[in-house]
Amino acid sequence: MKRKTDIAIAATSARSYNRHWRAHKLSWSEIGKIKYLFDGAYEYMDDVTLAYTRTHFNKLRKALGFKQDSELIELIEKAEAFRIVRNRETHQMDAFMSPLVGDRFVALSSQEIEEPAIPYEIFDCKANALANDNDRDKISENQRQHRHGINMHMLLAGNVPKFHVEASDEALKRIHKGFMTLFLNEAYYNRYFGEFTQAYARKYRVPEYVAKEDLLFYLDEKVTHHIARRVGIENWESDAILKWVMNYFSVKFMQRNITEAHELKIRRMEVPICKPQVFK
């Protein structure tokens, strides 16, 4: 009889978590947003502390579809699964941390850290299934592990993770080269990015060449890294990758894409330009 693997234990824990949230009247939509935050939405986390700090709340709640920061804060409190940093005097939430990301947050004297109602220990199980030859082919070296706990997809869905924390150099080079091929070939460009360019130019009232420049920056800064993080992408057939690109830039996701591309452009413009240093 085979012994239970840590993955099986993790999947059992995930089901318990879902039952807890459902018992507390959280919708499946809210649970999905909690899981997204668990996995580590790094673009909304402080680079140093790896915590979701108040300075990021505005953009984070917009990404999750909330109109007010208070809605985001309410969800975090209802989850009962995040470490929460509060101001000692006002009891206001200053930050919160994910169980699956080893944060480095150190509270100030004016702050206190509130531990979650559900203990972090549930996430301490490690994916040791690699030691089991029967599972080696299924999971292989694509196993994605956080510094504290195991992969979010594996934990909450009980299956093999779909994305790496960081893309490999090989995957980045392949996806970047592919995008440049599509971008520089007029026929390919029109097929995969033509609708994006037209929609972007209309919405922000810019010339087509500006829309193309902003698309190129969006591909380099966002899309390439996202697709390259996909587990096993290095070995995918080209047709499969092209199908994903076609879906990524489909009408279904058009508004999301042009908004993200424009926000990236704005952030790039806000970065101060340093004067060149002259060395003698």
Side-chain angles (χ1 to χ4, degrees), residues 45-92:
M45 300 171 78
D46 180 80
D47 293 338
V48 177
T49 64
L50 294 181
Y52 296 103
T53 56
R54 178 165 286 278
T55 55
H56 295 78
F57 281 9
N58 184 47
K59 292 183 178 179
L60 180 56
R61 58 96 172 166
K62 288 181 180 178
L64 294 177
F66 293 131
K67 294 182 178 179
Q68 303 293 333
D69 286 1
S70 59
E71 295 176 286
L72 169 64
I73 292 171
E74 181 182 4
L75 177 66
I76 301 308
E77 293 177 335
K78 286 167 63 177
E80 298 186 336
F82 295 93
R83 293 173 70 211
I84 297 175
V85 182
R86 296 190 185 276
N87 183 287
R88 291 183 183 274
E89 294 186 1
T90 65
H91 208 55
Q92 182 183 52

Side-chain angles (χ1 to χ4, degrees), residues 1-278:
M1 181 177 178
K2 294 182 180 180
R3 63 178 180 82
K4 276 190 173 183
T5 66
D6 283 342
I7 289 179
I9 296 173
T12 302
S13 300
R15 288 191 290 270
S16 297
Y17 244 100
N18 283 338
R19 284 195 295 268
H20 174 86
W21 287 324
R22 291 297 289 165
H24 284 68
K25 310 300 182 182
L26 271 73
S27 67
W28 286 115
S29 175
E30 290 175 316
I31 292 173
K33 292 173 182 178
I34 292 170
K35 292 177 180 180
Y36 170 74
L37 294 172
F38 267 29
D39 201 25
Y42 292 98
E43 59 269 38
Y44 303 109
M45 300 171 78
D46 180 80
D47 293 338
V48 177
T49 64
L50 294 181
Y52 296 103
T53 56
R54 178 165 286 278
T55 55
H56 295 78
F57 281 9
N58 184 47
K59 292 183 178 179
L60 180 56
R61 58 96 172 166
K62 288 181 180 178
L64 294 177
F66 293 131
K67 294 182 178 179
Q68 303 293 333
D69 286 1
S70 59
E71 295 176 286
L72 169 64
I73 292 171
E74 181 182 4
L75 177 66
I76 301 308
E77 293 177 335
K78 286 167 63 177
E80 298 186 336
F82 295 93
R83 293 173 70 211
I84 297 175
V85 182
R86 296 190 185 276
N87 183 287
R88 291 183 183 274
E89 294 186 1
T90 65
H91 208 55
Q92 182 183 52
M93 184 186 297
D94 290 338
F96 64 94
M97 286 81 87
S98 165
L100 293 186
V101 180
D103 66 88
R104 301 186 287 265
F105 192 92
V106 178
L108 302 174
S109 59
S110 60
Q111 297 173 323
E112 59 183 359
I113 296 180
E114 180 182 293
E115 295 297 330
I118 307 174
Y120 263 27
E121 284 71 21
I122 193 173
F123 299 102
D124 282 334
C125 50
K126 295 291 184 180
N128 292 327
L130 291 178
N132 185 335
D133 290 336
N134 294 323
D135 294 326
R136 190 178 302 278
D137 291 338
K138 181 174 67 174
I139 301 177
S140 73
E141 61 187 18
N142 289 326
Q143 178 68 28
R144 170 186 171 186
Q145 289 195 2
H146 286 285
R147 287 177 290 276
H148 186 85
I150 68 171
N151 172 259
M152 186 62 206
H153 298 284
M154 185 174 295
L155 178 68
L156 293 166
N159 57 15
V160 178
K162 296 180 181 180
F163 289 88
H164 293 294
V165 176
E166 295 181 0
S168 68
D169 290 340
E170 181 183 355
L172 280 172
K173 289 177 181 178
R174 183 183 185 194
I175 300 303
H176 176 75
K177 181 179 179 180
F179 270 137
M180 289 303 96
T181 300
L182 299 180
F183 192 88
L184 297 174
N185 182 289
E186 184 176 359
Y188 288 152
Y189 183 93
N190 291 332
R191 180 180 181 185
Y192 292 96
F193 309 126
E195 291 187 15
F196 171 95
T197 303
Q198 294 172 15
Y200 188 96
R202 284 196 305 269
K203 181 171 182 178
Y204 297 109
R205 299 179 181 179
V206 297
E208 185 175 322
Y209 77 88
V210 173
K212 293 185 70 171
E213 290 176 354
D214 293 348
L215 169 63
L216 183 59
F217 187 72
Y218 180 49
L219 292 176
D220 284 343
E221 294 296 312
K222 170 77 175 183
V223 187
T224 295
H225 292 272
H226 173 70
I227 295 181
R229 283 175 47 237
R230 186 63 162 84
V231 167
I233 195 75
E234 301 92 327
N235 302 315
W236 281 25
E237 296 291 337
S238 296
D239 288 345
I241 299 177
L242 288 173
K243 184 177 180 180
W244 189 4
V245 174
M246 180 70 78
N247 179 67
Y248 195 95
F249 284 92
S250 65
V251 174
K252 179 180 179 181
F253 303 112
M254 189 63 65
Q255 290 304 314
R256 177 203 66 184
N257 292 340
I258 61 179
T259 300
E260 286 183 345
H262 191 256
E263 288 178 349
L264 276 175
K265 174 183 180 177
I266 297 301
R267 288 203 292 271
R268 176 180 56 174
M269 293 171 63
E270 291 174 348
V271 175
I273 302 176
C274 300
K275 294 181 179 180
Q277 297 293 323
V278 178

